[in-house]
Amino acid sequence: MATLELKNLHVALEDGTPIVKGVDLTIAAGEVHAIMGPNGSGKSTLAYAIAGHPAYQVTEGELLLDGVDITAAEADERARAGLFLAFQYPHAIPGVTVTNFLRQAINASRKARNGGVDDPMPVPEFRKELLGQMDRLKVSRELASRYLNDGFSGGEKKRVEILQMAMLRPRISVLDETDSGLDIDALKVVAGGVKELVGPDMGALVITHYQRILDYIEPDYVHVFVNGRIVEEGGPELAKKLEVSGYEEWEEGKEAA
Ligand SMILES: Nc1ncnc2c1ncn2[C@@H]1O[C@H](COP(=O)(O)OP(=O)(O)OP(=O)(O)O)[C@@H](O)[C@H]1O
Ligand SMILES: [Mg+2]
């Protein structure tokens, strides 16, 4: 079973500005953790640092996947090891279709899981899996042959992020505001897609501003994230409380701290 551990994680921007200031968090397969916090508190920075984005430097602390230190591992290495990040703002890749992108990503991960030896998924099997997942996640078939995220609507981009997750079958998924900008039907589909995958094979970290997605993906733990730190932890009831009272009680203490 997969376990991702963040130990006293500090993350800074390229210019040295500290953003994440000491986070301890363990996410295991079968668990859903939610992170909620105000704009600019460093949630996406934390997600990028987990994924290994080179612009976000871990200045202190460590990241362990199944007990193995991956703090210095490249992003592609982490992806092959089973970490997945659904971006808050997915980028377009003109020239690469959704289908080709997914096939390459899957075959890269299969190669890694096969001890570095090529083990491509047979094309008929890939097509069947892709079409099945697209139907399940209500992704329009027309998108498969379009360039990844190029001209996609906000909701289409988010659904395709979840399609990637469903196809790649990561062991730990970080979803950065995957619910933002989705209409109600899409939210249910996306949340259902995540919920189905969480289990013995996958754990999830869901970054969100809204309680609503948590109605569909009941989190085991809710972490309140303010000014680069987890300031409170609880169960699903904490998300409901935040929806009412916001973050003021922690933000007020910010200057004094
Ligand atoms: N690449 C970057 N260059 C400059 N500043 C950055 C960069 N990435 C993050 N920051 C800054 O770091 C701080 C934290 O940003 P981050 O995106 O992590 O916040 P967030 O909690 O995800 O906010 P939101 O809820 O609005 O998505 C912000 O002040 C942001 O401007
Ligand atoms: Mg963000």
Side-chain angles (χ1 to χ4, degrees):
M1 290 227 303
T3 310
L4 177 69
E5 289 171 87
L6 283 58
K7 289 190 170 171
N8 187 30
L9 198 74
H10 288 66
V11 184
L13 302 178
E14 280 175 303
D15 66 2
T17 310
I19 302 292
V20 174
K21 301 164 184 169
V23 168
D24 288 289
L25 182 61
T26 300
I27 303 155
E31 295 175 352
V32 175
H33 292 252
I35 286 191
M36 304 183 82
N39 292 134
S41 54
K43 304 179 300 297
S44 293
T45 299
L46 180 70
Y48 278 129
I50 292 173
H53 191 301
Y56 298 88
Q57 301 300 321
V58 173
T59 52
E60 202 182 322
E62 55 187 4
L63 276 164
L64 305 176
L65 183 61
D66 302 330
V68 177
D69 190 342
I70 57 160
T71 318
E74 301 287 341
D76 61 332
E77 211 177 310
R78 297 182 197 201
R80 287 194 302 264
L83 279 183
F84 176 81
L85 170 60
F87 294 101
Q88 181 174 4
Y89 302 109
H91 288 288
I93 313 188
V96 179
T97 64
V98 169
T99 302
N100 280 334
F101 176 82
L102 287 172
R103 187 156 46 214
Q104 286 176 24
I106 283 178
N107 288 339
S109 97
R110 284 171 65 108
K111 182 175 174 177
R113 288 175 198 185
N114 194 38
V117 179
D118 276 326
D119 174 33
M121 185 184 266
V123 172
E125 188 187 328
F126 172 80
R127 276 193 63 80
K128 189 165 169 249
E129 171 80 9
L130 178 62
L131 293 176
Q133 293 289 3
M134 290 182 86
D135 287 350
R136 206 169 61 83
L137 296 169
K138 299 198 168 60
V139 175
S140 157
R141 287 198 175 187
E142 174 252 344
L143 291 183
S145 54
R146 281 176 52 188
Y147 295 148
L148 183 65
N149 292 326
D150 198 16
F152 287 15
S153 78
E156 286 169 345
K157 286 182 189 176
K158 300 285 173 157
R159 286 188 207 211
V160 168
E161 291 288 296
I162 296 302
L163 176 66
Q164 288 174 38
M165 184 180 81
M167 292 292 291
L168 290 171
R169 302 191 181 276
R171 302 166 66 230
I172 300 285
S173 288
V174 179
L175 308 177
D176 191 0
E177 294 197 27
T178 303
D179 52 335
S180 294
L182 291 180
D183 64 48
I184 308 247
D185 293 338
L187 181 68
K188 286 184 191 164
V189 168
V190 160
V194 176
K195 204 174 160 177
E196 255 177 57
L197 290 171
V198 171
D201 296 325
M202 191 183 89
L205 177 62
V206 177
I207 298 171
T208 183
H209 286 293
Y210 306 106
Q211 155 64 31
R212 192 182 289 155
I213 191 172
L214 304 179
D215 286 336
Y216 301 109
I217 318 175
E218 173 106 326
D220 299 290
Y221 305 94
V222 173
H223 311 274
V224 183
F225 194 85
V226 177
N227 193 22
R229 292 186 182 92
I230 292 174
V231 294
E232 185 152 339
E233 296 176 302
E237 75 290 343
L238 182 54
K240 296 194 173 78
K241 178 186 150 196
L242 291 171
E243 191 112 295
V244 177
S245 56
Y247 303 105
E248 222 167 63
E249 65 177 285
W250 299 286
E251 286 185 303
E252 276 171 1
K254 191 165 84 176
E255 300 310 320

